[in-house]
C-alpha cells in the first residue's frame, strides 16, 4: 500500500491555511525588511525610546495565549471564539498601548508595525475557520518574535 | 477576468460538489468591493491622480492632498485580499480535488496555468499590500516610509510595487496562454506538443518572475551591477516564454486545422505575442531601456503583450467556451468580423507607438509640441483605436445576438478533448451526473475515438 | 568618447536585427503551419499524432539561451560605455527637478529650464529632485536618468555637434508633467564660456519694472541676483531674458508673451504652482519688459 500521505496533502482547509500563511509571510517580510533598511535613519530604538521590559512581559502574555492552544483539541464553539477574541483584544490593546505610549513624539515608522501586526490578529485571526485558527495564532506569534528581535533586541546595543 | 478560472476549473476537474464555495463567494465579494471603493473615489471628491503605479512621493499627502489616493489604497488592498483568497481556493481545488485518474500530469493546461497564476498571486499581492499599508501610514499617521526628508526612501515603493507588478504581468497573461493551449490542439486535431515543456516552462516563469522586478527601475540609478543582474534574469525569462510559442506552432504542424473564430484568435495571439515578447527582450537590454523606458515604446510593448496577448487569448477562450456556458454557439460570421477588425485595429494603434517612443515621445503626456513631428503617427494610432472600439462593439453585438438566437451547440460542438465537453451545455449545477473516468490527458477524445486513443 | 546616444543606437540596431530575424522565422513558421495544414487542403486520413520530441525541444530552449548570452555581453559593454567609464568629466552641473521646471547650477550660478553645455566635452549631470520623482531625458543626447528626492544620480552627456536639443521630463510627476520641457543648447567652448560669464553677472538695476517686481509677491518664489529677491521655490530669473522659452517650454520668450504669461499662467499651464499676480496693466507691461531685458 501507499504510505500515509501527510495531512496537508489530504485536508483542504489545512492546505488552504498553510498557503495563506506562506503568502502572509511575504507581507510581513516586506515590512520587516523596510524597518531594517531604515534602522540607520534614526528610528526609535530600544536603547533610546522603546520600553523593552514592559513589551517583553506583554510578549509573554501573548505566547501564553498561544500555548493554551497547543495540546488538546480546540473546540471552536462560539464561546471559545469570544474567548479567543478577548485574549486577542487584550494583548493587542496592551501592545498597541505600549507602542503609542513609548513614542508619542512622532508616529514614525516603527509604530506602524504594531498597527499592522495587530490588525492582522483581528482581521484574519478572527475570521479563520474553526480549528485552524490556532495555526494562524502561532504564525502571528512567530511574526512577533521576529519583530521583537529586530525592533527591540536588535536595537538594544 | 479573474473569476473565469473559478467557473472553468470546476468543469475540467470534476468533483460533484465544490466544498470551498463560501471561499469563492468571499473572494468574489471582496474583489468587487475593492473595485467599488476604487471607483467610488470619482464621486467622493476626485479620482487617484498619481497614475496606476502611484509612485511615492507623488502619492504622499504633500503632493496628492485629495482623497483619491486613499481610495486607491483601500480599494486595492481589499481587492487584493479577495484575489488572494480566490488564489488559495483555486490552488487547493487543483491540488486536492481532482477526480480519480486525474493525475497532476494529466490536468488540462488551462488548469496548470491557473495553478501557476494562483501561486504568483500568493507571492506577489502581499508585497503590494505591504506597500499600500506603508503608504497609508505615511498619508494618515505621519509616517515617513517614502519621505526622504523623514529618513525614508522614495525608491522603496518602486521595489515593493514592481515585486508585485512584474508577476502581475504573468498573472494576466498565463490564463490566456492556458486558454489557447486548449484551443490550438482541439482545432488542430492533435494533442498539444510537449505538454511537459508547456507546463514546466510556466513553473520556470513563475520562479523567474519574482527575480526580475528591477527591470522596471533601470533608470532609477540602482547601479550597474544591480542593473546587469536584473537584465540577465529578465533575458532568462524570455526562454521559457519562447518555448511555449514553439510548442504551439509544433502542435499545429502536421495537424488538420479548422480555422474557427476561436482558432483565429489563438493564432492571432501567437502572432502578436511574438512582437510583444521581442520588444520585451529589447527592454531587458539596459542601454536600450534607458533610451526608451517611460516612452511610447513601452506603451507599444505592453499592449502587444496585454492586448495582442491576453485579450486575443480571452477572445479565443470566449468563442471556445461560450457554447459550454450558454448552450449556444457564438456567431462565426460576426466572429470573423470581430477578429479582423481587432487584428487590424490593434496593429494600427500600437505598431506606430514603437517609433513614437524611439524618437522621444514620453508616456503620460496630454499634449506635445507641433514641431516634434509626432502628429501623423499619433493620428494613425487614434484611427486604430477607433477600429478597436468597433471590434469590441461587434463582439458585444455578437454575444447578445447569439444568446438570443445562436445555433444550438449540443454537448460537444468542437469534437473537443477535455471533460467539460462531456457534460450538458450549459452544465448541470453539479457539473457531472456521474464522475467520469480519466485515463489520459484527453479523456473525452479517448472515449470518442477508442481506436485513436493516446498512448498513455 | 562616442556620444552615449550613438552607442545606444548601435546596440539597438544589432538587437533589432536579431529580433527581426527571429520575428521572420517564427511568424513564417506560423503562417506556413496555417497554410500547409489547413483542413480544406487536407488529404484523407487522420492527422499526425506526435506529441513530443525531446531533442527538438531542448534545441529550441538552448538556441535562444545562446542568442541571449550574446546580447547580454553586448549589453554589458554598452552599459560601461554610456556611463563614460574611464573618461573623466570635464564639467559637473547640478540639475534639480521641481514641479514643473528644471533648476541647473554651474558651481553656484543658477539658471533654469535651458541647459548650456560645450560641445565635444564629457559633462556629468548630478541629478536630484526637490519634490517628487522626475526623469531627465533628452533623446538625442542619450539615456534618461531619474531624479529622486534625497538621492543624487549621475548622467553623462556628450554632444558632438552644436545646436539645440529638446527633451522633457520622463517620469509622471503630477498634472503638468507634459509641460516640463528641457532645452539643451550645445555651443562651442568659446560661446559657452561667454554665456557662462554673462550668467554669473548680477542683474542690472534701475528700471521701473524692477521696482514693481520687487514690491510684489514675485520675490517670495523667485531670485534675481543683485536685488533683494531671493526666493527659491521658482526658477532663478537673473537672466530669464536670455532663455528662449517661458514656463519650461509653454511659450516663446518675448515681451508680449511674457506679459500674457504673467497675467494668467493658468491659461498656458493649467495646474502650475505660479499664481497670477494682480497687477495693473501698466505694471504688467513694466514687469514683462524688465524680465525680458534680463539677458
Ligand atoms: Cu516586468
Ligand atoms: Cu514629469
Amino acid at each position: 500500500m501507499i504510505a500515509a500521505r501527510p495531512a496537508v496533502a489530504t485536508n483542504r482547509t489545512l492546505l488552504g491555511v498553510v498557503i495563506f500563511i506562506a503568502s502572509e509571510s511575504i507581507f510581513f517580510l516586506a515590512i520587516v525588511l523596510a524597518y531594517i533598511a531604515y534602522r540607520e535613519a534614526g528610528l526609535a530604538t530600544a536603547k533610546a525610546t522603546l520600553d523593552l521590559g514592559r513589551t517583553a512581559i506583554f510578549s509573554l502574555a501573548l505566547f501564553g495565549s498561544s500555548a493554551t492552544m497547543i495540546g488538546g483539541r480546540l473546540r471552536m464553539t462560539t464561546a471559545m471564539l469570544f474567548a479567543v477574541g478577548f485574549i486577542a483584544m487584550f494583548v493587542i490593546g496592551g501592545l498597541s498601548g505600549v507602542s503609542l505610549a513609548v513614542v508619542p513624539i512622532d508616529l514614525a515608522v516603527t509604530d506602524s508595525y504594531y498597527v499592522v501586526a495587530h490588525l492582522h490578529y483581528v482581521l484574519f485571526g478572527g475570521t479563520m475557520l474553526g480549528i485552524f485558527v490556532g495555526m494562524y495564532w502561532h504564525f502571528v506569534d512567530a511574526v512577533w518574535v521576529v519583530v521583537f528581535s529586530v525592533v527591540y533586541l536588535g536595537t538594544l546595543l | 477576468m479573474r473569476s473565469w478560472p473559478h467557473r472553468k476549473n470546476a468543469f475540467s476537474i470534476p468533483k460533484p460538489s465544490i466544498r470551498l464555495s463560501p471561499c469563492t463567494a468571499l473572494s468574489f465579494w471582496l474583489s468587487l468591493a475593492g473595485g467599488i471603493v476604487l471607483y467610488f473615489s470619482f464621486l467622493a471628491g476626485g479620482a487617484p491622480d498619481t497614475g496606476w503605479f502611484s509612485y511615492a512621493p507623488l502619492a504622499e499627502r504633500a503632493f496628492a492632498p485629495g482623497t483619491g489616493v486613499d481610495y486607491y489604497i483601500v480599494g486595492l488592498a481589499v481587492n487584493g485580499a479577495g484575489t488572494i483568497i480566490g488564489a488559495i481556493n483555486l490552488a487547493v481545488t487543483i491540488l486536492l480535488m481532482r477526480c480519480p485518474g486525474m493525475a497532476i500530469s494529466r490536468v488540462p493546461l488551462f488548469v496548470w496555468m491557473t495553478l501557476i497564476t494562483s501561486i504568483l498571486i500568493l507571492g506577489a499581492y502581499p508585497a503590494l499590500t505591504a506597500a499600500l499599508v506603508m503608504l497609508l501610514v505615511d498619508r494618515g499617521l505621519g509616517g515617513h516610509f517614502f519621505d526622504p526628508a523623514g529618513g525614508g526612501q522614495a525608491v522603496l515603493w518602486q521595489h515593493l510595487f514592481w515585486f508585485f507588478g512584474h508577476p502581475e504581468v504573468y498573472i494576466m497573461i498565463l490564463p490566456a496562454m492556458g486558454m489557447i493551449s486548449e484551443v490550438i490542439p482541439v482545432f488542430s486535431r492533435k494533442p498539444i506538443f510537449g505538454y511537459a515543456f508547456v507546463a514546466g516552462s510556466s513553473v520556470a516563469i513563475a520562479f523567474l518572475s519574482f527575480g526580475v522586478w528591477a527591470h522596471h527601475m533601470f533608470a532609477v540609478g540602482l547601479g550597474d551591477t544591480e542593473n546587469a543582474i536584473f537584465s540577465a534574469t529578465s533575458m532568462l525569462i524570455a526562454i521559457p516564454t519562447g518555448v511555449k510559442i514553439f510548442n504551439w506552432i509544433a502542435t499545429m504542424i502536421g495537424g488538420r486545422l479548422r480555422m474557427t473564430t476561436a482558432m483565429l484568435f489563438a493564432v492571432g495571439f501567437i502572432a502578436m505575442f511574438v512582437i510583444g515578447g521581442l520588444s520585451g527582450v529589447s527592454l531587458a537590454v539596459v542601454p536600450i531601456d534607458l533610451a526608451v523606458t517611460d516612452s511610447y515604446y513601452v506603451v507599444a510593448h505592453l499592449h502587444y503583450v496585454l492586448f495582442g496577448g491576453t485579450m486575443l487569448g480571452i477572445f479565443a477562450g470566449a468563442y471556445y467556451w461560450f457554447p459550454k456556458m450558454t448552450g449556444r454557439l457564438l456567431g462565426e460570421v460576426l466572429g470573423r468580423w470581430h477578429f479582423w477588425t481587432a487584428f487590424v485595429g490593434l496593429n494600427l494603434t500600437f505598431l506606430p507607438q514603437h517609433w513614437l517612443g524611439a524618437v522621444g515621445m514620453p508616456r503620460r503626456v496630454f499634449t506635445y509640441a507641433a514641431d516634434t513631428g509626432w502628429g501623423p503617427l499619433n493620428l494613425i494610432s487614434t484611427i486604430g483605436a477607433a477600429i478597436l472600439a468597433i471590434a469590441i462593439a461587434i463582439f458585444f453585438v455578437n454575444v447578445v445576438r447569439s444568446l438570443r438566437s445562436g445555433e444550438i451547440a449540443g454537448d460537444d460542438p468542437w469534437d473537443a478533448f477535455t471533460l467539460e465537453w462531456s457534460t450538458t451545455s450549459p452544465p448541470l449545477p453539479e457539473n457531472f451526473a456521474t464522475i467520469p473516468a480519466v485515463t489520459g490527458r484527453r479523456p473525452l477524445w479517448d472515449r470518442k475515438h477508442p481506436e485513436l486513443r493516446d498512448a498513455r | 568618447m562616442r556620444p552615449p546616444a550613438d552607442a545606444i543606437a548601435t546596440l539597438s540596431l544589432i538587437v533589432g536585427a536579431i529580433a527581426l530575424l527571429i520575428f521572420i522565422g517564427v511568424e513564417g513558421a506560423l503562417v506556413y503551419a496555417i497554410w500547409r495544414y489547413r483542413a480544406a487542403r487536407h488529404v484523407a486520413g487522420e492527422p499526425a499524432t506526435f506529441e513530443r520530441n525531446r531533442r527538438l525541444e531542448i534545441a529550441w530552449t538552448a538556441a535562444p539561451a545562446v542568442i541571449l548570452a550574446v546580447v547580454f555581453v553586448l549589453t554589458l559593454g554598452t552599459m560601461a560605455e554610456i556611463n563614460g567609464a574611464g573618461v573623466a568629466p570635464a564639467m559637473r552641473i547640478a540639475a534639480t527637478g521641481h514641479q514643473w521646471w528644471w533648476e541647473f547650477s554651474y558651481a553656484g550660478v543658477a539658471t533654469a529650464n535651458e541647459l548650456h553645455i560645450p560641445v565635444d566635452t564629457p559633462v556629468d549631470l548630478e541629478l536630484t529632485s526637490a519634490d517628487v520623482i522626475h526623469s531627465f531625458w533628452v533623446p538625442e543626447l542619450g539615456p534618461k536618468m531619474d531624479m529622486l528626492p534625497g538621492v543624487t544620480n549621475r548622467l553623462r552627456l556628450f554632444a558632438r555637434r552644436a545646436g539645440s536639443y529638446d527633451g522633457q521630463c520622463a517620469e509622471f510627476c503630477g498634472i503638468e508633467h507634459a509641460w516640463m520641457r528641457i532645452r539643451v543648447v550645445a555651443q562651442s567652448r568659446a560661446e559657452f564660456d561667454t554665456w557662462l560669464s554673462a550668467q554669473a553677472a548680477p542683474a542690472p538695476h534701475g528700471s521701473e519694472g524692477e521696482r514693481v517686481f520687487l514690491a510684489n509677491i514675485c520675490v517670495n518664489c523667485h531670485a534675481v541676483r543683485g536685488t533683494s529677491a531671493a526666493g527659491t521655490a521658482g526658477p532663478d530669473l537673473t537672466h530669464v531674458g536670455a532663455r528662449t522659452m517661458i514656463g519650461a517650454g509653454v511659450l516663446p520668450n518675448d515681451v508680449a508673451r511674457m506679459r500674457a504669461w504673467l497675467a494668467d499662467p493658468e491659461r498656458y499651464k493649467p495646474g502650475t504652482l505660479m499664481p497670477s499676480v494682480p497687477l495693473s496693466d501698466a505694471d504688467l507691461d513694466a514687469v514683462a519688459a524688465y524680465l525680458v531685458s534680463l539677458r
Side-chain angles (χ1 to χ4, degrees):
Chain A
M1 267 311 286
I2 315 155
R5 297 162 75 201
V8 73
T10 52
N11 186 313
R12 287 192 284 275
T13 319
L14 179 60
L15 180 61
V17 174
V18 168
I19 293 177
F20 180 62
I21 287 177
S23 185
E24 276 279 275
S25 325
I26 295 172
F27 172 84
F28 285 109
L29 187 70
I31 290 189
V32 170
L33 285 178
Y35 175 81
I36 292 173
Y38 290 157
R39 202 156 54 183
E40 308 298 307
L43 297 180
T45 60
K47 199 170 57 174
T49 35
L50 301 174
D51 186 337
L52 184 66
R54 280 175 69 188
T55 314
I57 293 168
F58 279 113
S59 301
L60 286 180
L62 179 72
F63 300 142
S65 74
S66 182
T68 58
M69 300 235 179
I70 307 175
R73 294 247 300 281
L74 199 65
R75 279 178 307 142
M76 214 25 89
T77 58
T78 312
M80 186 62 189
L81 268 178
F82 273 107
V84 170
F86 177 75
I87 299 174
M89 297 311 272
F90 177 77
V91 176
I92 293 158
L95 284 176
S96 313
V98 172
S99 70
L100 291 174
V102 288
V103 200
I105 326 110
D106 184 345
L107 249 171
V109 185
T110 324
D111 305 337
S112 49
Y113 295 96
Y114 302 104
V115 182
V116 168
H118 303 139
L119 214 69
H120 276 72
Y121 263 123
V122 184
L123 283 182
F124 293 103
T127 54
M128 291 311 289
L129 302 167
I131 192 158
F132 297 105
V133 73
M135 275 194 73
Y136 194 79
W137 200 256
H138 301 320
F139 168 65
V140 182
D141 271 1
V143 170
W144 179 248
V145 169
V146 173
V147 171
F148 188 74
S149 316
V150 172
V151 178
Y152 287 82
L153 301 179
T155 57
L156 199 52
L157 299 174
Chain B
M1 184 197 130
R2 296 231 175 85
S3 67
W4 193 338
H6 292 263
R7 193 172 160 81
K8 168 62 173 58
N9 282 333
F11 305 137
S12 298
I13 327 176
K15 194 89 184 184
S17 62
I18 300 175
R19 293 283 288 279
L20 285 171
S21 59
C23 213
T24 312
L26 184 61
S27 155
F28 173 78
W29 289 112
L30 277 178
S31 301
L32 183 69
I36 290 174
V37 168
L38 189 56
Y39 282 103
F40 187 73
S41 65
F42 283 87
L43 304 175
D49 52 3
T50 54
W52 77 278
F53 42 91
S54 209
Y55 273 7
L58 183 60
E60 294 277 22
R61 179 81 62 206
F63 303 106
T67 52
V69 176
D70 300 309
Y71 279 99
Y72 168 97
I73 293 170
V74 176
L76 260 62
V78 172
N79 181 287
T83 309
I84 288 174
I85 292 169
I88 295 172
N89 191 3
L90 286 167
V92 171
T93 306
I94 295 168
L95 289 173
L96 295 187
M97 297 173 71
R98 302 186 306 273
C99 69
M102 183 65 86
I104 194 77
S105 59
R106 283 176 178 169
V107 298
L109 282 167
F110 178 58
V111 179
W112 253 110
M113 300 302 157
T114 305
L115 177 61
I116 304 294
T117 303
S118 305
I119 292 168
L120 287 174
I121 288 172
L122 292 164
Y125 274 68
L128 176 65
T129 313
L132 292 170
V133 167
M134 292 179 204
L135 186 57
L136 195 64
V137 169
D138 272 15
R139 286 177 62 86
L141 300 174
H144 306 289
F145 279 103
F146 310 118
D147 169 21
Q153 292 169 17
V155 76
L156 176 70
W157 172 268
Q158 293 185 35
H159 279 299
L160 291 168
F161 186 84
W162 290 116
F163 185 84
F164 148 81
H166 189 84
E168 170 67 14
V169 174
Y170 289 95
I171 290 166
M172 288 191 275
I173 191 80
L174 281 173
M177 288 180 162
M179 290 176 196
I180 74 160
S181 298
E182 300 296 304
V183 169
I184 289 174
V186 165
F187 294 105
S188 302
R189 205 176 168 86
K190 262 185 74 203
I192 184 91
F193 184 88
Y195 176 98
F197 263 64
V198 177
S201 61
S202 309
V203 178
I205 286 175
F207 265 110
L208 287 170
S209 71
F210 287 111
V212 300
W213 75 87
H215 67 207
H216 297 267
M217 302 163 60
F218 284 153
V220 161
L222 299 177
D224 272 1
T225 315
E226 289 84 346
N227 282 359
I229 291 169
F230 282 97
S231 168
T233 53
S234 306
M235 288 182 192
L236 270 183
I237 208 165
I239 298 172
T241 313
V243 163
K244 284 193 184 353
I245 304 257
F246 298 137
N247 277 294
W248 289 321
I249 295 177
T251 303
M252 294 163 62
I253 301 273
R256 186 191 296 172
L257 308 187
R258 282 178 290 159
M259 298 309 287
T260 59
T261 305
M263 184 64 167
L264 273 178
F265 274 110
V267 170
F269 174 113
I270 301 177
M272 295 298 98
F273 186 77
V274 168
I275 300 175
L278 288 171
S279 60
V281 172
S282 76
L283 288 169
V285 177
V286 179
I288 299 180
D289 181 89
L290 291 177
V292 295
T293 186
D294 274 315
S295 81
Y296 260 78
Y297 186 86
V298 175
V299 178
H301 156 71
L302 76 92
H303 283 91
Y304 270 93
V305 173
L306 291 184
F307 200 96
T310 303
M311 280 312 292
L312 295 192
I314 287 175
F315 285 134
Y319 282 86
Y320 182 62
W321 278 297
F322 187 87
K324 182 49 64 185
M325 293 172 184
T326 65
R328 290 177 186 274
L329 292 171
L330 193 48
E332 283 285 309
V333 176
L334 277 183
R336 263 142 228 280
W337 278 99
H338 173 203
F339 173 77
W340 286 111
T341 45
F343 190 81
V344 170
L346 97 89
N347 281 295
L348 275 185
T349 310
F350 302 120
L351 201 60
Q353 294 177 349
H354 289 109
W355 279 271
L356 283 171
V359 299
M361 180 167 170
R363 302 174 74 173
R364 301 163 183 142
V365 291
F366 66 90
T367 185
Y368 50 85
D371 62 8
T372 51
W374 301 335
L377 287 175
N378 274 298
L379 178 65
I380 295 176
S381 233
T382 306
I383 294 169
I387 296 176
L388 263 186
I390 294 171
I392 305 297
I394 293 174
F395 174 67
F396 282 111
V397 169
N398 200 7
V399 166
V400 171
R401 276 182 51 169
S402 304
L403 277 176
R404 246 189 283 149
S405 56
E407 197 181 323
I408 300 294
D411 292 355
D412 181 17
W414 310 123
D415 196 10
F417 300 163
T418 44
L419 286 174
E420 71 269 31
W421 302 101
S422 70
T423 187
T424 53
S425 306
L428 308 165
E430 69 274 23
N431 292 338
F432 296 90
T434 57
I435 296 183
V438 177
T439 52
R441 282 177 193 157
R442 299 196 291 170
L444 184 59
W445 173 268
D446 290 353
R447 203 188 306 165
K448 288 184 295 193
H449 306 278
E451 74 290 353
L452 296 171
R453 58 181 298 171
D454 293 345
R456 277 158 299 110
Chain C
M1 69 176 278
R2 189 160 61 139
D6 292 3
I8 294 175
T10 308
L11 183 65
S12 303
L13 282 180
I14 298 171
V15 173
I18 295 173
L20 188 66
L21 287 179
I22 297 173
F23 173 80
I24 291 171
V26 176
E27 302 284 359
L30 183 66
V31 170
Y32 168 77
I34 296 169
W35 172 79
R36 169 70 181 75
Y37 296 103
R38 67 194 190 278
R41 170 182 201 286
H42 197 74
V43 281
E46 277 296 321
T49 55
F50 62 85
E51 56 174 299
R52 64 174 167 179
N53 181 336
R54 275 288 173 274
R55 273 216 196 124
L56 192 59
E57 288 174 88
I58 289 169
W60 69 42
T61 310
V66 173
I67 297 172
L68 287 169
V70 173
V71 172
F72 183 64
V73 171
L74 294 173
T75 299
L76 292 181
T78 310
M79 279 170 72
E81 187 181 347
I82 62 176
N83 263 344
V87 183
M91 178 187 293
R92 289 176 212 274
I93 304 167
T96 306
H98 294 259
Q99 279 181 323
W100 292 274
W101 59 281
W102 310 86
E103 175 187 347
F104 300 112
S105 174
Y106 297 74
V109 177
T111 175
N113 298 336
E114 273 174 37
L115 175 69
H116 287 242
I117 57 172
V119 291
D120 276 325
T121 311
V123 174
D124 272 6
L125 285 189
E126 282 162 354
L127 306 164
T128 189
S129 168
D131 39 50
V132 303
I133 300 175
H134 306 275
S135 190
F136 184 95
W137 189 29
V138 180
E140 285 176 272
L141 289 183
K144 61 179 69 64
M145 181 60 81
D146 289 356
M147 310 169 108
L148 292 92
V151 174
T152 302
N153 279 333
R154 193 181 65 84
L155 177 67
R156 170 61 56 90
L157 291 184
F158 186 91
R160 174 135 292 164
R161 86 186 149 72
S164 112
Y165 301 83
D166 287 352
Q168 77 182 75
C169 177
E171 184 64 80
F172 182 73
C173 54
I175 185 166
E176 277 308 305
H177 166 60
W179 279 120
M180 187 163 164
R181 311 241 166 104
I182 313 163
R183 177 158 288 171
V184 176
V185 180
Q187 299 166 300
S188 70
R189 189 74 216 199
E191 280 175 332
F192 174 80
D193 288 339
T194 313
W195 173 84
L196 187 56
S197 54
Q199 290 286 313
H205 286 293
S207 70
E208 166 65 8
E210 182 191 18
R211 190 196 58 74
V212 179
F213 179 85
L214 294 177
N216 277 284
I217 56 169
C218 315
V219 296
N220 293 349
C221 297
H222 295 284
V224 176
R225 272 174 281 127
T227 73
S228 58
T232 53
D236 183 296
L237 300 178
T238 311
H239 296 284
V240 63
R243 299 176 201 149
T244 57
M245 301 294 281
I246 300 169
V250 288
L251 288 171
N253 193 2
D254 57 38
V255 176
R257 279 151 172 143
M258 181 63 86
R259 188 188 189 285
W261 164 253
L262 294 176
D264 191 5
E266 191 69 23
R267 176 170 163 215
Y268 301 98
K269 196 164 178 173
T272 177
L273 302 180
M274 161 115 173
S276 70
V277 187
L279 292 177
S280 69
D281 280 357
D283 283 355
L284 268 179
D285 288 337
V287 174
Y290 166 64
L291 290 175
V292 175
S293 77
L294 295 174
R295 311 203 105 249

